[in-house]
Amino acid sequence: MTHTPANKTVLISGASVAGPALALQLHRHGFTPTVVESAPELRTGGYKVDIRGTAVEVCRRLGILDEIRAASTDMSGGSYVDAKGRTVGQMPAEIFGGRAEQDDEIMRGDLARILYERTREDVEYLFGDSIAALHDDGDGVDVTFESGARRRFDLVVGADGMHSNTRRLVFGDERRFRRYLGAYISIFTGPNRLGLTRWETYHARPDKLVSVYSTAGEQAHTAKNCFVFAAPGELSYDHRDPDAQKRLLADAFAGDDWEIPRLIADAAGADDFYFDAIALIEMDRWSSGRVVLLGDAAHCASPASGQGTGLALTGAYVLAGELAAAHGDHRTAFAEYERVMRPGVELNQRFAAGFAKEMTVSSRWKIALRMLMVRTLPRTPWKNLIAKKIRDDIQRAAHAVPLKEYETAPVSPATACVPR
Ligand SMILES: Cc1cc2nc3c(=O)[nH]c(=O)nc-3n(C[C@H](O)[C@H](O)[C@H](O)COP(=O)(O)OP(=O)(O)OC[C@H]3O[C@@H](n4cnc5c(N)ncnc54)[C@H](O)[C@@H]3O)c2cc1C
């Protein structure tokens, strides 16, 4: 067995949640991460994401929990309104979110910013670039970037989301791994037309759900407009073309009343427009040689799970910890990372596949039934039992990945030992 410095240089593709969280923890373990992000700067925008269960403990260990608490959405509740804007029923945030005491909620963009600020001094970030080609020769990975630069890294991690470029280059076409769950989601910032403060307003139509919310951190004059619509088959569009996506969104909601026409029109001026299919990424394995996938790139659980961000954070913590525990031996570390993560990921994906069907309802009478439930639930004697059942299911999924303790002692070249 030859003793060599372990696999210290790690290229991470994607600077959203999973990538910077991994970089933070790898740096603490003594590795040298570099993050490449195709966007010219850190991307803002996105919806509010839950930090629940295991992810709360992960954030504590990453040292970012206090900042998450400070940037909490701090929502107080939500209400359903009818087409005339009349409140049909309302519920406090805990029932909506299935949250336990420690859990929190933060805007995705705020979380990405916290992680980036924590790492930017210690980690090399390459914005506005992307991996064009990579070649794993068994001893390292030669990477050619879109910019034309060429570099060699010990390991490469694809943390580049549901439409992962790294996955495509190493494992093949995304369509082999994507399971469409029958709906699309769009979200963007617009004027606070409904005058909301820490409140979410929902309006359901057959096969569609619109919600508008303003969180504690939102500027007083802005709100988030969120649209979900069912579509039996996948739509054909370029996921890098926001104008095409805005047209698809407008078509899907054409002719709808309530505030919908004005809310849709706000998309034109939004610089944080997000649009994507609600879909899972399901793969038999997450690594190949010296390349491994993380977060949505490996196992997107979709917004229907409410756990995609938590799984991305947990996966980053586990992957970095396993690399350190194995003194950089990627074969051992990648296998253990997958063994620890996979059962929890699969539970959350099953949960998402079930819940995706309930995000929208298909007819007016089913909407009327749902509104009746929303209206009567706060007054029923079983209110607490129902809330507990919702919370227990969500909490089981949120605690599904067991968390080990990993020492953050740096990997030193003297002690590192990689079988070759
Ligand atoms: C701007 C934005 C808004 C989002 N909004 C929502 C939302 O409203 N609802 C929802 O369910 N999920 C949303 N997501 C996805 C959500 O963040 C993830 O489900 C979850 O947090 C897991 O994060 P991730 O880091 O694994 O992947 P992601 O958050 O998807 O991050 C992937 C990162 O990789 C970057 N990237 C992509 N291609 C390349 C490439 N070729 N080279 C380098 N970098 C690349 C992306 O720009 C992004 O920064 C959003 C993601 C982004 C980036």
Side-chain angles (χ1 to χ4, degrees):
M1 185 183 286
T2 4
H3 290 257
T4 63
N7 293 314
K8 286 195 70 152
T9 58
V10 184
L11 176 66
I12 302 166
S13 174
S16 172
V17 173
L22 178 69
L24 175 64
Q25 215 44 20
L26 279 181
H27 174 72
R28 285 187 181 147
H29 287 302
F31 293 85
T32 311
T34 295
V35 182
V36 59
E37 163 63 49
S38 53
E41 56 192 26
L42 195 72
R43 293 177 64 181
T44 58
Y47 65 155
K48 43 187 169 52
V49 295
D50 286 292
I51 306 292
R52 291 194 186 105
T54 305
V56 176
E57 180 56 23
V58 167
C59 290
R60 194 191 317 278
R61 294 187 194 179
L62 292 178
I64 58 168
L65 192 57
D66 288 347
E67 282 176 88
I68 287 176
R69 299 261 187 256
S72 170
T73 58
D74 201 17
M75 298 293 284
S76 57
S79 48
Y80 273 90
V81 297
D82 65 15
K84 294 200 162 67
R86 293 175 302 212
T87 299
V88 183
Q90 59 184 51
M91 274 192 254
E94 308 84 76
I95 297 188
F96 266 130
R99 249 167 252 138
E101 219 166 83
Q102 295 291 305
D103 299 352
D104 218 322
E105 188 182 62
I106 183 171
M107 296 304 293
R108 188 214 67 92
D110 288 340
L111 178 59
R113 181 184 44 73
I114 289 169
L115 288 163
Y116 173 61
E117 292 299 334
R118 271 303 172 99
T119 47
R120 60 183 297 183
E121 298 283 303
D122 302 315
V123 172
E124 179 188 24
Y125 276 87
L126 309 170
F127 282 100
D129 210 345
S130 172
I131 301 173
L134 44 77
H135 174 65
D136 175 353
D137 63 15
D139 288 327
V141 189
D142 289 314
V143 176
T144 308
F145 291 91
E146 293 286 351
S147 61
R150 286 164 187 241
R151 285 171 63 174
R152 187 171 171 82
F153 295 89
D154 294 324
L155 304 173
V156 173
V157 182
D160 36 13
M162 179 155 82
H163 307 295
S164 169
N165 178 48
T166 314
R167 186 195 325 111
R168 181 180 56 78
L169 291 170
V170 176
F171 295 88
D173 195 318
E174 177 179 319
R175 280 171 298 188
R176 287 172 50 199
F177 309 109
R178 189 179 62 220
R179 173 147 67 106
Y180 173 60
L181 295 182
Y184 282 81
I185 184 166
S186 177
I187 181 156
F188 52 87
T189 302
N192 190 351
R193 296 192 180 281
L194 307 185
L196 304 172
T197 310
R198 296 171 50 233
W199 195 261
E200 181 153 17
T201 297
Y202 294 87
H203 177 61
R205 307 187 72 81
D207 290 326
K208 297 171 200 174
L209 181 67
V210 180
S211 82
V212 185
Y213 60 86
S214 184
T215 64
E218 189 78 53
Q219 295 169 31
H221 60 283
T222 61
K224 296 285 181 274
N225 301 348
C226 181
F227 300 85
V228 176
F229 63 95
E234 287 196 69
L235 305 171
S236 154
Y237 65 96
D238 180 351
H239 69 258
R240 281 153 305 199
D241 181 353
D243 290 334
Q245 296 160 22
K246 286 175 188 177
R247 284 195 294 276
L248 285 174
L249 181 66
D251 289 348
F253 286 85
D256 286 331
D257 53 7
W258 185 56
E259 296 283 339
I260 292 172
R262 293 200 300 161
L263 297 171
I264 291 273
D266 293 338
D271 58 9
D272 61 351
F273 182 82
Y274 175 84
F275 181 94
D276 216 329
I278 296 182
L280 305 178
I281 294 292
E282 296 172 314
M283 304 182 74
D284 292 340
R285 61 199 168 94
W286 299 333
S287 67
S288 171
R290 290 175 169 269
V291 182
V292 66
L293 301 176
L294 175 68
D296 276 11
H299 50 65
C300 179
S302 89
S305 75
Q307 300 282 107
T309 302
L311 288 172
L313 289 164
T314 305
Y317 176 80
V318 171
L319 179 56
E322 293 299 340
L323 274 167
H327 304 294
D329 174 1
H330 61 285
R331 292 182 201 86
T332 306
F334 292 174
E336 191 58 11
Y337 151 68
E338 192 159 335
R339 193 191 65 75
V340 171
M341 293 295 299
R342 191 172 273 282
V345 161
E346 289 178 353
L347 175 72
N348 278 286
Q349 290 191 323
R350 282 197 299 278
F351 188 82
F355 187 68
K357 297 191 190 89
E358 293 174 26
M359 288 177 88
T360 60
V361 281
S362 58
S363 64
R364 285 185 193 283
W365 77 264
K366 283 184 185 162
I367 292 176
L369 196 64
R370 182 170 284 193
M371 291 310 112
L372 184 69
M373 280 166 57
V374 170
R375 197 162 46 236
T376 50
L377 183 66
R379 293 198 294 270
T380 64
W382 322 288
K383 174 180 82 177
N384 293 337
L385 272 180
I386 295 170
K388 181 175 178 317
K389 163 84 178 104
I390 296 172
R391 199 172 50 239
D392 287 354
D393 287 350
I394 293 176
Q395 288 296 318
R396 195 157 31 88
H399 285 90
V401 177
L403 213 54
K404 298 187 208 169
E405 292 275 358
Y406 300 102
E407 277 179 39
T408 47
V411 175
S412 83
T415 55
C417 171
V418 186
R420 303 186 53 146

